[in-house]
Amino acid sequence: MSPLVIRRRAADARRETELAEYEKVSDQIKITQRDLEQDGFSKNPFFHGIIAEVPEHLKSKDGHPKIGYSLYFCTYSSWKGRAVYMEDLYVRPEFRGKGIGKALMAKVAQLGLAAGCTQLNFTVLDWNKSSLDFYLKQGCWDVTSDLGYHCMRCEGDALQHLAQGDL
Amino acid sequence: AKFILRKAEPKDVSDILRLIKELAKYEEMENQVILTEEDLLEDGFGDHPFYHCIVADVPEEHQSADAHVIIGFAMYYFTYDPWIGKLLYLEDFYVMKEYRGFGIGSEILKKLSHTAVRTRCSSMHFIVAEWNKPSIEFYKRRGASDLSLEEGWRLFKIDKHNLMKMTDEE
C-alpha cells in the first residue's frame, strides 16, 4: 500500500453523506457544511476529525484524494474518567481491505491516549456484520450484548416538553 | 422536601464521587469506579471541562441519615452527531433513596433538558441497563426512545490495554 497521509482537516460534508447512505438514513441529515465548520473549528470545538488521503496518482475514480475519515470527541466516564468517542469511521468502498480503517482507528486511539483517555467508545448497527467483525477483531467488546446497556434518546417534542416541565 | 438545584463547585467533588459510587453500587458495578476526587477536580473545573454537574442540596435540618446535604446529582457533557449537530449526553443521574418520590429527579431532568434546548442541542442521549425497569419506565414516560431496540444500535468499548496494542501495531 502506497504512503497514506492521515491529517486533521475540515470534516468534508460529502463524506458524511456517503456514510449516511451506507447506513440507509441519508434523509435524516440536517446539518450543513457550514455547521460542521463552525462546530468543529471554533476555539472550543465540539468534535475533531482526521482524514485519510492518498497521493494524486492513486486518487479515486471520481478524482478525490480524500478516501476515508474519522470524527471523534472527548467524553467522560463517571467510573474511569476521560474517554474518547468515535462518532464516525468511514473508508470509501474502492479503498477497503487495505488497512486504512484500522489506521484511522489507531490514530484516534493514539490521540485519545495522548489526551489521557483510558477507553474508546462507539456504536455499531446490529446488522452491520462486517463492521462488527472488524471491531471485535481489534479487541473491542459489545457493551449492549454483554452488559445489557441500551442507548436511549430524548429529542424533539419530548425534549421540549421535558424542558417545560410537562409530563 | 425542600431542595435547590445548582451548578457543582470544586468543593462538591467528594459528594459527587460518593454519589457516583452509590449509583454504581445500584448497578452492581461499584468495583468499576476508579475515578478519584483529584480526577474530578482536574477534569471538571479547569479551562476545558470534560463534564458538567448539577447537584441537589437540601437544607441542613433535612440532611440525610449520614449527615449529607447533597442528595442528588447529574453529570453531563456535550457530544456531536454530524447529521444533526450538538447533543447533550447524560452520563450519570441519581437521587439518594431516602429522597426519592419528591420530584427531585424530575426537576433535575427538567433543568437538563432546559440546558439542552438553550444550548441548541437537538437531543439528549444516555444509556440504561435493560434490567433497570424503574428507570426505563421513568424515561419512557418522558418520551425517551430505546435506540438499541428500535434501530439496532449497540454500544462498543475498547479499553486502554487494547488501545495501546492498536497504536503499537501501526
Side-chain angles (χ1 to χ4, degrees):
Chain A
M1 176 69 206
S2 288
L4 170 72
V5 178
I6 296 187
R7 273 197 265 182
R8 301 169 78 165
R9 292 250 288 266
D12 184 342
R14 202 168 60 79
R15 292 283 93 78
E16 292 299 337
T17 309
E18 279 188 36
L19 178 53
E21 275 164 18
Y22 177 72
E23 289 179 349
K24 304 177 197 251
V25 286
S26 47
D27 57 324
Q28 290 180 36
I29 301 188
K30 298 191 173 17
I31 211 156
T32 64
Q33 187 151 335
R34 189 153 179 267
D35 292 322
L36 286 172
E37 282 168 12
Q38 274 179 354
D39 294 337
F41 297 88
S42 58
K43 189 162 166 257
N44 295 309
F46 286 92
F47 67 87
H48 303 280
I50 52 172
I51 296 207
E53 212 168 319
V54 292
E56 274 290 313
H57 65 280
L58 286 171
K59 64 189 184 192
S60 71
K61 293 192 196 82
D62 53 359
H64 291 278
K66 293 174 200 162
I67 51 80
Y69 80 104
S70 179
L71 204 145
Y72 64 95
F73 42 80
C74 287
T75 59
Y76 206 71
S77 157
S78 57
W79 298 351
K80 313 264 191 246
R82 297 181 193 185
V84 55
Y85 187 86
M86 187 170 68
E87 172 65 30
D88 277 359
L89 175 65
Y90 181 75
V91 175
R92 301 190 83 189
E94 66 198 271
F95 291 90
R96 290 183 200 155
K98 302 180 197 310
I100 298 174
K102 194 168 170 193
L104 280 164
M105 197 168 170
K107 188 73 184 172
V108 173
Q110 206 182 82
L111 292 165
L113 285 166
C117 299
T118 55
Q119 58 183 268
L120 170 70
N121 297 323
F122 53 96
T123 54
V124 191
L125 285 163
D126 58 10
W127 56 255
N128 194 345
K129 189 106 200 351
S130 55
S131 293
L132 289 168
D133 290 341
F134 168 79
Y135 292 125
L136 290 168
K137 227 169 57 191
Q138 309 309 316
C140 308
W141 56 281
D142 184 336
V143 177
T144 300
S145 269
D146 296 358
L147 293 180
Y149 279 106
H150 286 218
C151 305
M152 310 282 287
R153 169 179 61 199
C154 197
E155 63 177 349
D157 286 343
L159 188 61
Q160 293 288 348
H161 288 146
L162 212 49
Q164 279 148 36
D166 307 340
L167 238 187
Chain B
K2 277 171 98 125
F3 66 96
I4 57 147
L5 296 184
R6 59 173 176 81
K7 226 170 114 165
E9 291 161 37
K11 65 181 169 85
D12 299 324
V13 291
S14 91
D15 283 292
I16 295 171
L17 188 59
R18 171 180 56 87
L19 294 174
I20 286 174
K21 287 181 174 170
E22 272 190 40
L23 174 54
K25 191 171 179 188
Y26 172 76
E27 293 183 71
E28 294 168 24
M29 295 281 177
E30 203 186 359
N31 60 349
Q32 294 288 324
V33 181
I34 60 168
L35 207 59
T36 64
E37 284 180 25
E38 287 78 18
D39 294 326
L40 282 170
L41 208 53
E42 191 185 332
D43 297 338
F45 299 94
D47 284 333
H48 298 296
F50 281 82
Y51 70 88
H52 305 277
C53 235
I54 307 176
V55 294
D57 253 353
V58 292
E60 278 215 27
E61 58 267 28
H62 293 294
Q63 68 190 232
S64 69
D66 44 0
H68 291 293
V69 161
I70 293 181
I71 52 78
F73 85 118
M75 177 187 270
Y76 66 96
Y77 42 84
F78 296 98
T79 62
Y80 204 77
D81 180 325
W83 298 351
I84 51 175
K86 286 162 63 183
L87 308 174
L88 188 145
Y89 187 86
L90 180 54
E91 172 66 22
D92 269 12
F93 170 33
Y94 179 76
V95 174
M96 286 173 72
K97 197 165 180 195
E98 62 202 275
Y99 293 90
R100 288 179 209 156
F102 296 113
I104 299 177
S106 296
E107 277 304 307
I108 294 177
L109 215 49
K110 178 177 167 184
K111 197 170 177 82
L112 286 169
S113 23
H114 208 253
T115 301
V117 169
R118 189 172 38 86
T119 53
R120 288 188 306 110
C121 294
S122 315
S123 186
M124 189 159 70
H125 283 211
F126 47 98
I127 57 172
V128 194
E130 63 195 5
W131 54 256
N132 192 348
K133 300 281 179 245
S135 292
I136 293 179
E137 286 313 305
F138 176 87
Y139 293 124
K140 285 212 159 143
R141 268 206 305 274
R142 285 155 178 80
S145 43
D146 184 335
L147 298 179
S148 293
L149 273 183
E150 292 174 29
E151 296 178 17
W153 288 102
R154 299 219 220 136
L155 177 63
F156 269 62
K157 189 185 291 287
I158 178 164
D159 61 24
K160 189 171 180 178
H161 169 73
N162 284 296
L163 284 178
M164 293 178 73
K165 249 179 92 182
M166 197 181 275
T167 59
D168 285 342
E169 280 166 18
E170 280 299 309

